[in-house]
Amino acid sequence: MKITSAKLFLAEYNRSETPEFPKKSKVVGIRIYTDEGIYGDGEVAGIHATYGAFGVIKDMWPFISGKDPFDNEVLWDQLMLRTFWGQNGGAFWYSAVSAIDIALWDIKSKALNVPLYKLLGGKRRDKVRCYASQLQFGWGPIDSPAVTVQDYVDRARLALQDGYDAIKIDFLNWDEKGNILNETNRLGLLPPELVQVFSDRVHAVREAIGPKVDLIIENHAGTNSNSAIQLSAAVQDCNIYYFEEPNTPVFYNNKYVKDNVKMPLAHGERVFGRWEYIRYFMDNSIQVIQPDIGNAGGITETKRICDMAYTFDVGVQIHTCASHLLTPPSVQLEACIPNFVIHEQHMRSMNPSNQELTAKVVMPKNGYLDVTDDIGIGNEWSDKALASEDQITLN
């Protein structure tokens, strides 16, 4: 079997009516074709990195054209070692190779007519527990800001009504008047009134959901080491499941944060490849990693990272914020690894415009997703996505 051509495209979906955020999100997709009529689909999960990753995929194409898609690990290493910018590659390189790698796994699973989990070593569980993610943006079809304490409480309750027993919220996107909080507001030592706003919101949600629901704090790396420590101390009594992206992901600052907080820390959506992760593992400054198969290096590299994390007693929650294309393969990987923690179900999975990009819409039932026996990655691009005007053919 040989790789013959590919369709590389940019699609978009309606995202937000909130003035501070882009009204549309762009999606980079690829469909790779073979000489045996089998094709595979992949996606870049890089927010605001779409054009960069699109261009890198174009540059990578000559290295994989005409090659055997079963040689995914060989091709992965060649893309790293034969491209000058591959070694110590950053977000654009890892996102581009991720989309290609996912498509190759799709082809391999289809050609062998076995579920992806069989190729990843076998499943350890038949379903995965999920949490409702990013409730500050809403829990419904379109983004909208949470401002008042009651906004946060109401959204938490909506997720619980849908059967979830774990939720995640960024409690510092907006202040109590609805003004966006950015780098000028959240870096360094925070004023007591802002810490109080954060504390009031977290405590109110904890009281509303009760002690048996897991609560994850999300900071989107918007705070730094000092402000992260302040915020952690303010909600230490809220039994936080883990604190996600408390600071810019730099291993030496992360060690300082971990040494000064009393809750598990999580990072990963902005950490790329084994070479970056190993530094966090060596100093035990991350307890849960969150690699995204759409930007961490694909299924190939993400599996390597998860296996390495296991040797350091580090748990895994695969990061998901892209289209529904990447949900099934993320679940397939989570089903196979021994250090799986929980699956992220992003609120934008409920966005009707996003749902139109794939053949299937994959949503949990009562807070769980089944590990299916589907062949391939378990989803594919819709006709609408493939008809995008912004596309090229790679030969």
Side-chain angles (χ1 to χ4, degrees):
M1 185 184 294
K2 301 295 181 185
I3 297 169
T4 57
S5 62
K7 177 180 286 190
L8 178 63
F9 63 89
L10 278 168
E12 63 181 19
Y13 66 89
N14 298 325
R15 171 184 170 181
S16 175
E17 297 176 355
T18 305
E20 300 90 350
F21 292 92
K23 294 193 177 297
K24 293 183 181 292
S25 276
K26 291 192 177 293
V27 173
V28 179
I30 190 170
R31 172 166 287 179
I32 295 178
Y33 298 92
T34 69
D35 60 354
E36 295 188 14
I38 299 174
Y39 60 80
D41 289 350
E43 179 179 4
V44 167
I47 300 173
H48 308 311
T50 47
Y51 291 105
F54 188 95
V56 176
I57 292 174
K58 287 173 60 178
D59 289 333
M60 286 179 171
W61 180 252
F63 293 92
I64 67 169
S65 179
K67 300 297 178 61
D68 186 340
F70 274 71
D71 296 340
N72 59 293
E73 293 211 29
V74 174
L75 294 176
W76 200 101
D77 288 346
Q78 288 178 352
L79 287 171
M80 168 170 277
L81 298 172
R82 296 184 183 181
T83 55
F84 176 81
W85 25 266
Q87 291 171 283
N88 284 339
F92 292 147
W93 185 89
Y94 274 100
S95 295
V97 78
S98 294
I100 292 170
D101 182 79
I102 293 164
L104 298 186
W105 279 94
D106 196 15
I107 292 169
K108 184 189 296 190
S109 174
K110 291 173 180 175
L112 295 174
N113 196 35
V114 295
L116 191 59
Y117 69 75
K118 289 287 189 182
L119 303 179
L120 293 171
K123 64 178 179 178
R124 299 169 183 267
R125 50 193 66 88
D126 294 321
K127 59 182 181 179
V128 298
R129 180 185 179 220
C130 307
Y131 70 82
S133 180
Q134 309 298 345
L135 301 188
Q136 75 280 358
F137 293 131
W139 190 245
I142 200 71
D143 287 27
S144 63
V147 177
T148 68
V149 170
Q150 193 62 44
D151 288 341
Y152 292 89
V153 168
D154 290 345
R155 293 167 187 209
R157 287 175 172 160
L158 284 175
L160 268 60
Q161 290 172 15
D162 283 344
Y164 292 89
D165 63 1
I167 61 174
K168 181 172 78 178
I169 304 176
D170 186 329
F171 290 93
L172 276 186
N173 260 60
W174 296 275
D175 67 16
E176 72 278 16
K177 296 179 181 179
N179 300 311
I180 190 73
L181 292 169
N182 55 32
E183 65 280 356
T184 62
N185 310 113
R186 295 191 294 180
L187 295 181
L189 293 173
L190 302 178
E193 57 269 23
L194 187 55
V195 176
Q196 190 64 52
V197 168
F198 174 83
S199 177
D200 289 346
R201 290 169 174 175
V202 176
H203 279 88
V205 169
R206 171 48 79 195
E207 182 178 357
I209 64 178
K212 295 182 180 180
V213 175
D214 283 320
L215 177 58
I216 302 167
I217 292 176
E218 160 77 278
N219 266 30
H220 285 108
T223 48
N224 69 7
S225 303
N226 291 320
S227 45
I229 293 169
Q230 278 183 294
L231 297 177
S232 173
V235 296
Q236 184 59 50
D237 58 338
C238 289
N239 190 23
I240 302 304
Y241 198 39
Y242 50 86
F243 191 175
E244 176 176 336
E245 287 201 306
N247 60 305
T248 299
V250 182
F251 67 96
Y252 45 85
N253 283 344
N254 222 68
K255 180 66 164 61
Y256 170 67
V257 175
K258 185 64 193 83
D259 286 346
N260 288 277
V261 303
K262 296 180 180 180
M263 59 184 65
L265 300 184
H267 269 293
E269 65 189 87
R270 281 175 255 246
V271 182
F272 309 107
R274 288 161 287 167
W275 292 268
E276 288 194 18
Y277 275 97
I278 187 63
R279 293 176 289 192
Y280 296 93
F281 297 159
M282 293 294 290
D283 63 15
N284 299 304
S285 62
I286 294 182
Q287 287 64 58
V288 179
I289 60 167
Q290 301 169 305
D292 192 313
I293 66 171
N295 69 25
I299 295 170
T300 299
E301 182 69 0
T302 303
K303 179 64 163 59
R304 293 165 171 168
I305 294 167
C306 294
D307 290 342
M308 185 167 64
Y310 182 58
T311 67
F312 290 91
D313 293 339
V314 173
V316 177
Q317 171 241 291
I318 301 296
H319 177 263
T320 62
C321 72
S323 80
H324 282 266
L325 187 81
L326 298 188
T327 301
S330 296
V331 170
Q332 293 278 313
L333 177 55
E334 289 171 327
C336 297
I337 57 176
N339 46 341
F340 165 72
V341 176
I342 196 168
H343 174 84
E344 176 178 20
Q345 193 70 27
H346 201 288
M347 61 82 57
R348 291 202 184 100
S349 64
M350 306 170 72
N351 183 307
S353 183
N354 186 12
Q355 293 177 351
E356 293 175 351
L357 296 177
T358 52
K360 296 179 182 179
V361 173
V362 185
M363 297 295 294
K365 294 180 181 179
N366 295 317
Y368 284 83
L369 279 167
D370 290 332
V371 181
T372 71
D373 290 328
D374 291 343
I375 305 303
I377 61 171
N379 209 344
E380 65 179 23
W381 293 116
S382 67
D383 291 341
K384 179 176 181 178
L386 293 169
S388 170
E389 295 181 358
D390 198 352
Q391 65 174 267
I392 60 173
T393 298
L394 302 171
N395 292 302

